[in-house]
Each structure stands twice: as structure tokens, then as C-alpha cells.
Amino acid sequence: MKLDDVPQDHSSTYGGHCKLVYAVDASGHYQGAQSDGWEPEAFATQMAVAELQEQEAEALAAWQRGELSPLKCLMYRYRLDEPALAQITGLWQWRIRRHFRPNIYPKLSAAILARYAEAFGLPVEQLITYQKDLA
Amino acid sequence: MSSFQQPFQHQQSAHCESGVMASLLTHAGLPMSEPMAFGLASSLAFAYLPIVKLSGMPLVAYRMPPKYLIKTLSKRLGAKLHARTFSNPEQGRRELDAALDSGRLAGLQSSVFWLPYFPAEMRFHFNAHNLLAYGREGNEYLISDPVFEQPVRCAVEDLQKARFAKGALAAKGLMYWLDDVPLEQDWSKLIRQSVLSTTRILDGMPLPWIGVRGIQHLAKQIDKLDPAQSKYNRLYLTHIVRMQEEIGTGGAGFRFMYASFLQEAGEKLGDSSLQEASAQLTAIGDNWRQFASACVRASRNKGETPNFAPIAESLRGIALQERGLMKELAAWSKR
């Protein structure tokens, strides 16, 4: 990559920051250069974000319809999936899926909810409030 | 920080681990550029690991796994690496404070997701991000995050959460620093040793997912994509691009960084064959970027059915080029 080819596509995914990349000058000498975005990369990042947002919106709608507990929606909101959430909370995936059921969630103990609260970085009281809303 | 200590200089880097090590070594009195740190640790690689899943997608890596660079580089340079993890987060915080108060720099491993100074769209659950703490002020740590332009600040609670995030590659508060860095080095031996090791990683592993064979394996997977599964294909192809570009790969999956290392090494040894190898690798890096563009192009148009064969073919071309280059470098390093 030549210095002139270092992309400056003002990608919103960089949040106004610049990354350092290595590129060659006219005489073929390497140096560091800042890039404020590359369109193909931004597209890939936005696609991953959009996929999570779509899953979150679906789970949110299902929660509001009373078909799901809030956990699934929160899982996607905090950019997790079932295997990742299982690893962080130390719960089996089948237990997590069970906790997605709206009739099971209100029965969960504060200790279990605390594990989820830590994974999401939320106060456990908030998860307890959701239990009452569901009941 | 105490006043007699020489002030710490933040230096923006392309990649976190090599950036932290370059800063630690430079601060210790052994000037080290980031590409040099990356190359001397033989961190260039390729791996396609279908068993390790990241949000349902196979892991595609363009470098050696986290912590490899730190360990390998300090071993090769003969520096003493102290690394500690903590089962008790509170103790981890105390030890970090103590280290900073005594004027030491501390390398830290942490999760990107819980670092508030990262842009929201970059915050994914990646637990092996490296940064350098160089001081503290009130309730904030002074942090030199290698991928940022300027030093940043991070509240104590936030850094604590980031250091002790659980999950895959959990850092467990990993904190590391260097002692006894020898300032005299046998560069010729070091460079030959590290280049030879890279050629063995990229072309010489008896496994179909590592190195050049891994690239060929990925090409086969792209060939096999079912055009009917358009959503999966788009997620799959853009996933590869993200692995290749996102969060500090220096563009083109570290190929440019390694080319920069070869050039610097060539200048150090006054050896023109390394300069030629550097130019070749630059061309390979450009091909990687074109491959990334092609992946995104195929994911963009929803209407027409994309043709994956040329993408896979370009990847096979890259594999052949890398194999050729590795053979030349292997011959050079034994000369």
C-alpha cells in the first residue's frame, strides 16, 4: 500500500479516531500513516452491529408480547450470544435458554440474576424489577 | 509518577500487543519500533479454526495467539518478563496501584467491551486487548492504549471491569512488566532466528488450518458457499474482513507490518534480499486488501447471485505467493 492509497473514508465506526497503518512512500520506504476509515471494513463492522440490533429488536418485541423473558433481548443488547453468555455466567446453555421462558424468569433467585447482572454490567435490582413486570 | 523518572512517551501503534511491547522496551532503553517487535516475535501467521466460534463464525486469525508475542519477544531478547494474574480482583487493583506508584509501567490485558473510551461500534467482547497503564490521578488511570492517537484516561471501576471480564480468553487481570532488558543484542542472529520461525509457522505445519494450507482451506470454504444462503454468506464474508482489518491489524492482516519489519531488518543488516522480500510482501498485502474488497462487494449487492469462484481463486493466488516468499526467506535465514 502506498501512502497515497491509505484510505481516508471517514468511517463512523472509528468514532472520530484514526488508526495507524503501515504504508510505503514514493521511494518504497515504510512509515506509519493515520487512516480515518476504510469503507469495506466499515461495511463489515456495521453489518455485524446491524445483525445484533436486529436480533435485539426481535427479542424485545417477543418480550413485550410476553413470549420471552427480557434476558434474550439484554443478551443481544450487550453484544453476547448464548455460548458467550454461558461462558461468562458459568451456566449451561440449556439453563440460559430455559431462563428465556417468561414463566420461568420470575422464579429465578437473586443469586442467579446477579450472575446475569454482572455479565451485562447492570444493577441486579433492574433485573429483579423486570421479574415483577412479567408477573 | 515520581519526578526523577523519565516521562513516558505515548506512541500510536497499529496493533495492541506489539505496541505495548515496543513501548515497554523503548521505555526500558532499548529503542524498538512496533514492526520490529512484531517481527522479532515471529507473530505473523494465518489460522482458520472452525472449532473456535466467534458469534457462530469460525475464528480466522492473521497472527499468533494472544500473549505469544509478549512471551516470545522477551525470551528472545533475554529480558525478564514478570506476568501475574489474580483470582481476587481487589488484589489485582492493589498490585496495579502499587506498581504505578513505584513508577513502573504495567502492561494489562483487558476486554474491549468494557473500556468506555472505545467508540461504541468497536466495542465487542474481545478479552485479549493489551494496553499500558503509566500512572494514576484521583479516581482515574492514565493509560496509553496503543491503538489510540493520544493517551487516554479510564475510571478505576471501568478498568477493573475490563481487566476481570469473564468469558473466552479471560484476562484474569493479567498484568506484566519487563526487567533487566539487555541493551546489547546480536541482531543478525535474532532476525534470522525469528524469520526462520515465521517461515515454519506459515509454511511447515502439518495441519490443514494453519499457515498457507489454512489460506487454501479458507479458499475451499468460500468455494463451497451455497449461493442460496445469501444471509449466511454475507455474514461469513464480512466476518473474514472484520478479522482481517478490525482493531489493530495494521491493514491487510498484519502483512504490511511484517513487510515493514523485513525492510527495517534489511537496513539493520545491510542485506538487500530482505528489502526485496519486503517489497514482495507489500504486494501480497495489497492482494489481501483486494480480497477484502471483493468479499464486501459480494456481500453488498443483495439482488444478483454473487460468484464466489474468483474470490476463492484470488485467495489461492495469495497462498501460492506467501509460500514462495516463505521458501525464499527460509533459504535466506539459513545462509
Side-chain angles (χ1 to χ4, degrees):
Chain A
M1 189 167 55
K2 299 225 166 59
L3 277 180
D4 297 339
D5 300 334
V6 173
Q8 306 292 350
D9 294 342
H10 317 302
S11 301
S12 65
T13 46
Y14 283 25
H17 290 282
C18 283
K19 274 190 197 174
L20 189 80
V21 294
Y22 292 94
V24 290
D25 62 14
S27 60
H29 206 93
Y30 262 99
Q31 53 190 111
Q34 287 186 327
S35 157
D36 71 357
W38 190 39
E39 214 283 324
E41 180 197 347
F43 177 84
T45 309
Q46 279 156 358
M47 197 151 150
V49 173
E51 170 73 9
L52 280 164
Q53 283 170 342
E54 195 180 308
Q55 288 168 323
E56 183 194 334
E58 269 170 36
L60 179 66
W63 172 22
Q64 283 160 346
R65 285 196 304 270
E67 292 163 11
L68 275 182
S69 79
L71 279 181
K72 194 165 187 175
C73 166
L74 291 171
M75 172 176 86
Y76 289 127
R77 181 174 300 167
Y78 292 97
R79 297 191 176 169
L80 293 162
D81 54 12
E82 283 167 25
L85 188 58
Q87 233 175 349
I88 294 176
T89 55
L91 297 166
W92 295 96
Q93 287 188 48
W94 64 264
R95 286 189 77 189
I96 291 177
R97 281 196 290 274
R98 186 166 170 272
H99 299 165
F100 288 163
R101 282 158 52 185
N103 54 331
I104 302 293
Y105 183 77
K107 297 179 204 158
L108 294 183
S109 69
I112 291 283
L113 286 180
R115 294 205 205 182
Y116 286 114
E118 200 207 330
F120 302 143
L122 290 173
V124 66
E125 292 75 30
Q126 195 174 334
L127 294 182
I128 293 172
T129 323
Y130 290 148
Q131 281 184 314
K132 297 200 184 89
D133 287 350
L134 281 169
Chain B
M1 218 177 350
S2 44
S3 53
F4 57 84
Q5 197 83 23
Q6 76 183 78
F8 170 72
Q9 285 286 324
H10 173 75
Q11 176 80 38
Q12 188 180 16
S13 314
H15 171 54
C16 60
E17 214 171 323
S18 46
V20 165
M21 282 307 275
S23 287
L24 280 176
L25 288 164
T26 306
H27 190 76
L30 180 68
M32 174 83 46
S33 73
E34 184 196 8
M36 209 64 191
F38 185 79
L40 288 180
S42 309
S43 278
L44 190 73
F46 182 90
Y48 178 95
L49 301 177
I51 305 146
V52 185
K53 295 275 184 199
L54 292 174
S55 44
M57 293 287 170
L59 177 77
V60 187
Y62 294 80
R63 55 147 170 141
M64 295 304 279
K67 286 192 263 193
Y68 176 87
L69 192 153
I70 301 171
K71 287 184 190 161
T72 313
L73 186 59
S74 30
K75 199 162 98 193
R76 288 205 178 137
L77 294 176
K80 194 161 163 42
L81 173 76
H82 300 268
R84 286 202 59 186
T85 54
F86 304 92
S87 52
N88 176 356
E90 188 48 33
Q91 193 197 354
R93 189 186 63 74
R94 277 200 308 268
E95 299 267 333
L96 173 62
D97 288 356
L100 293 175
D101 291 346
S102 69
R104 201 187 283 142
L105 301 180
L108 300 172
Q109 188 188 329
S110 59
S111 155
V112 173
F113 186 80
W114 297 107
L115 291 173
Y117 58 82
F118 262 87
E121 276 174 300
M122 280 193 204
R123 287 170 67 182
F124 283 87
H125 288 275
F126 174 64
N127 278 334
H129 180 64
N130 286 274
L131 49 86
L132 203 56
Y134 66 94
R136 62 194 185 107
E137 254 179 44
N139 195 35
E140 280 181 328
Y141 287 110
L142 308 179
I143 286 172
S144 157
D145 191 311
V147 301
F148 280 78
E149 305 98 312
Q150 301 294 338
V152 288
R153 284 164 177 263
C154 183
V156 170
E157 312 75 77
D158 292 329
L159 186 67
Q160 196 65 359
K161 181 98 188 159
R163 287 178 69 198
F164 290 94
K166 292 178 188 153
L169 296 174
K172 299 191 187 81
L174 175 69
M175 168 172 132
Y176 53 93
W177 66 93
L178 293 175
D179 259 346
D180 309 330
V181 180
L183 302 184
E184 292 294 320
Q185 299 285 345
D186 181 354
W187 294 107
S188 170
K189 181 172 156 262
L190 263 179
I191 290 167
R192 276 166 210 274
Q193 180 189 11
S194 57
V195 166
L196 182 64
S197 161
T198 294
T199 65
R200 285 187 177 146
I201 293 162
L202 269 175
D203 187 22
M205 289 277 187
L207 295 166
W209 309 290
I210 314 289
V212 171
R213 293 176 71 190
I215 302 174
Q216 287 163 342
H217 185 80
L218 176 62
K220 209 189 291 170
Q221 299 301 313
I222 292 176
D223 247 345
K224 278 200 293 198
L225 288 176
D226 173 9
Q229 303 276 335
S230 69
K231 180 156 189 198
Y232 176 80
N233 295 345
R234 296 170 64 207
L235 286 174
Y236 184 80
L237 291 175
T238 52
H239 172 76
I240 300 169
V241 175
R242 287 181 57 213
M243 295 289 105
Q244 186 180 322
E245 289 300 328
E246 208 169 75
I247 313 197
T249 65
F254 298 103
R255 266 58 189 168
F256 293 138
M257 202 194 292
Y258 198 77
S260 178
F261 157 71
L262 289 176
Q263 188 174 67
E264 201 180 326
E267 281 162 15
K268 234 182 172 90
L269 304 183
D271 192 325
S272 63
S273 37
L274 284 183
Q275 312 278 10
E276 281 156 35
S278 166
Q280 276 186 51
L281 190 55
T282 307
I284 295 173
D286 287 332
N287 290 342
W288 274 110
R289 280 176 76 84
Q290 276 168 17
F291 162 74
S293 300
C295 284
V296 166
R297 229 174 302 131
S299 323
R300 218 187 285 262
N301 26 6
K302 288 185 182 173
E304 52 204 274
T305 40
N307 187 4
F308 299 120
I311 303 180
E313 206 42 55
S314 71
L315 209 47
R316 290 201 184 93
I318 291 174
L320 281 183
Q321 281 178 302
E322 292 207 349
R323 174 161 285 163
L325 179 63
M326 288 308 133
K327 290 224 183 325
E328 281 174 36
L329 281 175
W332 172 84
S333 63
K334 287 170 194 158
R335 221 181 278 158

